[in-house]
Each structure stands twice: as C-alpha cells, then as structure tokens.
Amino acid sequence: MAVQSSWLVVEQGRTPAARVARRPLRKRLDAGWTALQAAAGDSPDAERVHRLRVATRRTLAAIDAFAELLPAGKRRWFEKRLRRLRRTAGAARDLDVLTDRLGREPATGPGSASPRSRLVAMLARQRLASRAPIRQLHDELVAADWHARTERLLDAVGKRGHDRPY
C-alpha cells in the first residue's frame, strides 16, 4: 500500500516536536470530523460508516503517538469521544456487513428464500436505525464545540515543557 504524501510530515532537523506533531494531529482530527459528518447524514451508505471507523482509529493512533506532548485532560476528552464513535460506528458496520453478506449469498434448501428475504429486510431496517446513535454523537460533539476544542488541543501541544527537538 502506498503512503499518501499528504499525511507525511517532513521538517528540517532540530524542529520542535510540537510543531511536527500539530500537522498530523490536525489532519487526523479534521479527517475524523469530516467522516463523522458524512456518516451522520441521511444516506445509508455503508462506506461512510466504514470510513468513520477508520478515521477514528487513525486519529486515536495519532493522539497516542503524540500523547507526551498533549495535556492529559484534553487528550482524554478526545480519546473518550473517539472511542465512543468507533464503538457506535462498529455496531452499525457489523449490521452493514451482515446484511450485505446475507443479501448476496444464495438461499439454500426448499422454501428458504422467503425467511432469508425477511431476515435481510429486518436487518436493513436495523441498519437504518443504527445510524441514529451516530447522528446523536455528532450532535453532542457539535454542542460540545468540537472545532474550538480541537483548536485548544492543538494550541496546547508541547506547552507542558516537552517541546524538545524532534
């Protein structure tokens, strides 16, 4: 798999670690927010939920990578919300995968098409309902002012005396 150049951080020697950390943290937090907005929309597109899970996992990895440079309270706030998002998106994704697999597999045995069709229809309704918690978390993060919290987190990177050269 090729590495996307937009995620690479190239700095000159002796660049403060905080400066190096801010760019990937911002990109990951912004990508997570974009994925959340897409998944919280009205579209039942399974790919949007998948992208949300990937984005939250990658954002948590970036936060973990730069944990020493982040204030503990602000870091924990984001970790808690991102984990909730990932779990919620995971439940929705599980329904997406199950519905897709059962919908594609041929029914076996006499008279099994009708029960399978009913099961797939029931799962499809559950898939739509599984998006509601994602929308609820989106609304909670809007109310908590995700963007301002992101800015405060990034402004605080390296302010704990850990701004040593990278």
Side-chain angles (χ1 to χ4, degrees), residues 4-9 21-34 59 62 150 154:
Q4 293 180 355
S5 62
S6 64
W7 293 107
L8 295 178
V9 177
R22 280 186 193 99
R23 190 177 320 146
L25 283 169
R26 173 171 301 286
K27 286 185 176 189
R28 292 297 182 192
L29 287 163
D30 289 349
W33 182 254
T34 300
T59 304
T150 298
L154 295 173

Side-chain angles (χ1 to χ4, degrees), residues 144-161:
D145 203 357
W146 172 275
H147 293 296
R149 286 177 180 269
T150 298
E151 292 306 317
R152 286 194 299 268
L153 175 73
L154 295 173
D155 287 344
V157 171
K159 298 281 168 72
R160 298 185 321 168

